[in-house]
């Protein structure tokens, strides 16, 4: 039962974002089968059927890009490169010296290209594999051109199937996984905000924290499964890399709040402030729900005015207490309270950044 429970928690909960990999695999297999079937139906020679399959594999295996449009572009360029190189590889395989030099250049390119990004690395590996198949079965230029035509046929069939008959948008999949992670972080934040410090509350916080961390890790695994560079778009307010960075930062912000949620708990001087702080955090938790929905709709507008004003009021009240000036043991409590308020302000800033990401194309604004 534990194995089933872990599978559900990691891959299914709560809206089936993980099962897309099964759909992705099924779609790829179907595309290859369709390409082979069409090649057979048009009477393609048996010795070129495998090259049609190779062209299909170029499309279904070696694609990359964080959006459907980018993946189409990568596929087109990769197919073109393979078509141009296959005839050359077929001919040069007849010459041992030329083969060794050519193979060295291909291997060098494969090891060098990854510095340009995941998409380039994926394309380079695909190109190397197809050319190795041509090099190990040398023949005439005419045969090479026929192989190239078979590659184009298989790639075209799979391209139409993958991108038009059964399209799957990677940005949609990643946004769904990101929404799950953001929802879990919101649950963690609510548990922290409502905690009374009891053993039961603390245990609940630990469990939700673990679930939230796993959700963020799962999002990273989804990025890797779709061949999306986790750091390519850092510093911008768009793309899965920016979303991943924000999820990590929001998780860190909530962890910081969890560590200071019961600030100055033994001091009656800060009793009212603790109540106001708890009330403010509880009311601000709705931002997580709005942002999670905004990842799908592109309208994650969050009104942060009340939260920022509440934080400013807490800061002013804390300064008016003058605890940092007193010698009666309140300085440590003051620092604890200031750390908690700073943590909440930091989270508000992350809300604003996430809202920019959700509001695609500037369709809405953060207030």
């Amino acid at each position: 039962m534990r194995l089933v429970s872990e599978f559900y928690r990691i891959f299914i909960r709560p809206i089936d974002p993980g099962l897309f990999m099964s759909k992705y695999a099924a779609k790829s297999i179907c595309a290859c089968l369709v390409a082979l079937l069409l090649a057979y139906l048009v009477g393609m020679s048996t010795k070129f059927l495998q090259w049609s399959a190779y062209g299909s594999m170029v499309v279904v295996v070696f694609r990359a890009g964080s959006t459907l449009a980018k993946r189409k572009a990568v596929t087109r360029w990769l197919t073109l490169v393979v078509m141009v190189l296959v005839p050359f590889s077929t001919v040069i395989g007849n010459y041992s010296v030329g083969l060794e030099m050519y193979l060295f250049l291909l291997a060098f390119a494969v090891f060098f290209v990854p510095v340009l990004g995941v998409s380039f690395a994926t394309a380079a590996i695909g190109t190397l594999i197809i050319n190795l198949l041509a090099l190990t079965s040398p023949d005439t230029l005419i045969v090479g051109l026929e192989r190239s035509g078979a590659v184009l046929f298989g790639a075209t069939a799979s391209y139409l199937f993958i991108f038009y008959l059964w399209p799957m948008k990677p940005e949609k999949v990643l946004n769904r996984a990101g929404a799950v992670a953001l929802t879990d972080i919101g649950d963690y934040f609510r548990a922290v905000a409502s905690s009374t410090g009891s053993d039961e509350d603390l245990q609940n916080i630990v469990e939700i924290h673990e679930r939230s961390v796993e959700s963020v890790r799962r999002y990273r695994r989804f990025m890797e499964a779709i061949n999306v560079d986790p750091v390519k778009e850092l510093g911008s307010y768009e793309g899965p890399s920016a979303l991943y960075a924000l999820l990590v930062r929001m998780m860190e912000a909530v962890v910081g709040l969890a560590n200071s949620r019961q600030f100055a708990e033994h001091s009656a001087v800060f009793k009212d402030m603790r109540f106001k702080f708890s009330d403010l955090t509880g009311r601000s938790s709705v931002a997580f729900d709005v942002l999670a929905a905004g990842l799908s709709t592109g309208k994650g507008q969050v009104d942060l005015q009340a939260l920022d004003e509440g934080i400013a009021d807490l800061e002013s009240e804390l300064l008016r207490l003058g605890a940092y000036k007193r010698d009666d043991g309140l300085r440590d409590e003051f620092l604890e309270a200031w750390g908690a308020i700073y943590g909440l302000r930091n989270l508000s800033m992350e809300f604003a950044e996430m809202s920019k990401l959700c509001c695609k194309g500037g369709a809405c604004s953060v207030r």
Side-chain angles (χ1 to χ4, degrees):
M1 288 299 296
R2 180 175 178 80
L3 180 61
V4 175
S5 177
E6 286 297 300
F7 181 85
Y8 176 84
R9 180 175 62 85
I10 296 174
F11 294 103
I12 301 178
R13 198 204 75 79
I15 54 171
D16 185 29
L19 291 183
F20 89 94
M21 284 306 299
S22 298
K23 182 179 178 182
Y24 184 87
K27 185 177 71 167
S28 298
I29 294 173
C30 289
C32 292
L33 291 176
V34 168
L36 279 175
L37 179 61
L38 290 176
Y40 176 79
L41 292 177
V42 299
M44 184 177 293
S45 174
T46 304
K47 66 178 181 179
F48 295 119
L49 282 177
Q50 61 179 332
W51 289 94
S52 177
Y54 298 155
S56 178
M57 292 296 292
V58 166
V59 174
V60 302
V61 176
F62 302 109
R63 292 178 292 129
S66 59
T67 66
L68 190 64
K70 291 180 180 179
R71 294 173 86 81
K72 287 181 179 179
V74 170
T75 300
R76 289 194 296 267
W77 277 107
L78 180 57
T79 301
L80 178 61
V81 171
V82 171
M83 285 177 55
V84 171
L85 292 180
V86 162
F88 185 74
S89 298
T90 300
V91 174
I92 205 170
N94 293 295
Y95 309 97
S96 57
V97 176
L99 184 151
E100 292 178 1
M101 294 181 60
Y102 181 62
L103 188 58
F104 171 80
L105 291 175
L106 280 177
F108 176 80
V110 169
F111 283 104
F112 174 78
V113 164
V115 301
L116 302 178
V118 174
S119 299
F120 292 95
T122 305
I125 293 173
T127 303
L128 175 64
I129 291 175
I130 302 300
N131 278 274
L132 284 176
L133 294 171
L135 286 169
T136 54
S137 55
D139 215 308
T140 63
L141 177 61
I142 297 299
V143 172
L145 292 173
E146 290 176 326
R147 288 175 176 177
S148 183
V151 168
L152 175 61
F153 183 91
T156 301
S158 291
Y159 182 90
L160 295 175
F161 185 89
I162 288 287
F163 294 117
Y164 293 97
L165 294 182
W166 194 354
M168 182 184 296
K169 296 182 179 180
E171 60 269 35
K172 182 177 179 180
V173 172
L174 289 172
N175 282 341
R176 289 178 63 190
V180 173
L182 195 56
T183 299
D184 284 341
I185 296 174
D187 291 342
Y188 176 41
F189 177 74
R190 276 183 279 268
V192 169
S194 62
S195 173
T196 60
S198 66
D199 292 339
E200 183 178 356
D201 277 352
L202 294 178
Q203 180 61 32
N204 184 50
I205 288 176
V206 170
E207 292 177 357
I208 299 179
H209 171 262
E210 292 176 353
R211 190 181 76 199
S212 303
V213 171
E214 186 58 40
S215 288
V216 176
R217 288 174 178 169
R218 177 177 56 201
Y219 181 83
R220 172 66 179 257
R221 289 198 298 270
F222 283 11
M223 293 178 67
E224 294 170 347
I226 306 179
N227 294 325
V228 175
D229 191 338
V231 298
K232 183 178 180 180
E233 295 166 322
L234 288 181
S236 65
Y237 296 121
E238 61 180 14
S241 300
L243 176 55
Y244 175 67
L246 281 171
L247 288 173
V248 172
R249 281 156 44 187
M250 293 187 83
M251 188 69 203
E252 292 176 344
V254 179
V255 168
L257 282 172
N259 293 332
S260 58
R261 65 187 182 280
Q262 294 294 328
F263 62 87
E265 58 183 340
H266 300 298
S267 175
V269 175
F270 295 91
K271 182 178 179 180
D272 290 341
M273 182 170 291
R274 284 197 302 270
F275 176 79
K276 293 178 181 179
F277 179 84
S278 179
D279 179 65
L280 183 60
T281 53
R283 287 188 285 111
S284 64
S285 64
V286 69
F288 285 98
D289 301 324
V290 175
L291 292 171
L295 286 175
S296 300
T297 63
K299 298 179 181 179
Q301 183 178 11
V302 180
D303 188 351
L304 299 176
Q305 183 176 354
L307 175 59
D308 291 337
E309 289 177 353
I311 294 172
D313 290 341
L314 286 175
E315 290 174 339
S316 298
E317 182 175 348
L318 182 60
L319 292 175
R320 285 196 300 270
L321 286 175
Y324 61 96
K325 300 178 181 179
R326 297 163 63 174
D327 296 326
D328 53 354
L330 292 181
R331 288 182 179 177
D332 290 340
E333 285 81 355
F334 168 82
L335 293 176
E336 291 177 6
W338 190 262
I341 296 172
Y342 175 80
L344 189 57
R345 180 171 290 282
N346 184 46
L347 183 60
S348 177
M349 294 172 61
E350 300 302 345
F351 283 152
E353 298 296 307
M354 183 66 78
S355 189
K356 292 178 183 178
L357 180 64
C358 294
C359 296
K360 300 174 183 177
C364 55
S365 60
V366 182
R367 293 180 291 173

